[in-house]
Structure formats: structure tokens, C-alpha cells
Amino acid sequence: MRIVTFGYAMFAIYGLIVFLEYLLLPYFPYATLELLEHGSAILILGGLVAFFVALTRD
């Protein structure tokens, strides 16, 4: 159950980053925020891997 919680947390963190991108736009350059958003997409991969691990565990 902890693995699934970890996977959901990774998706939630990614969603938070995407949400905060629009709020931080006046304070940071667009290129920096876009790089942060695209770089944080690795969280989606981590979440999917966590779900795969949870499904394949005995």
C-alpha cells in the first residue's frame, strides 16, 4: 500500500508544479518555468513505475 501511496504522491507533486507554474509566471522567466515543468515529468514516470511494482509484487 505504501508503494501505491508513493505513486499517487508523485502524480500529485507533478500536478502541483503545473498549477504553480501559472502563479509563478510573473516572478520567473517563462523558459525556467517551462524547464521545471518538463523536468518534473520524470515524476509521472516514477509514479507509473511505482504502480507497476505494486502490481507485480507477490
Side-chain angles (χ1 to χ4, degrees), residues 28-48:
F28 293 99
Y30 180 75
T32 303
L33 293 174
E34 197 67 21
L35 183 62
L36 175 66
E37 180 186 353
H38 290 298
S40 65
I42 194 76
L43 294 171
I44 293 175
L45 177 63
L48 291 174

Side-chain angles (χ1 to χ4, degrees), residues 12-41 44:
I13 292 169
Y14 177 75
L16 181 65
I17 289 171
V18 170
F19 174 74
L20 288 177
E21 176 186 9
Y22 297 107
L23 297 177
L24 295 174
L25 199 54
Y27 306 108
F28 293 99
Y30 180 75
T32 303
L33 293 174
E34 197 67 21
L35 183 62
L36 175 66
E37 180 186 353
H38 290 298
S40 65
I44 293 175

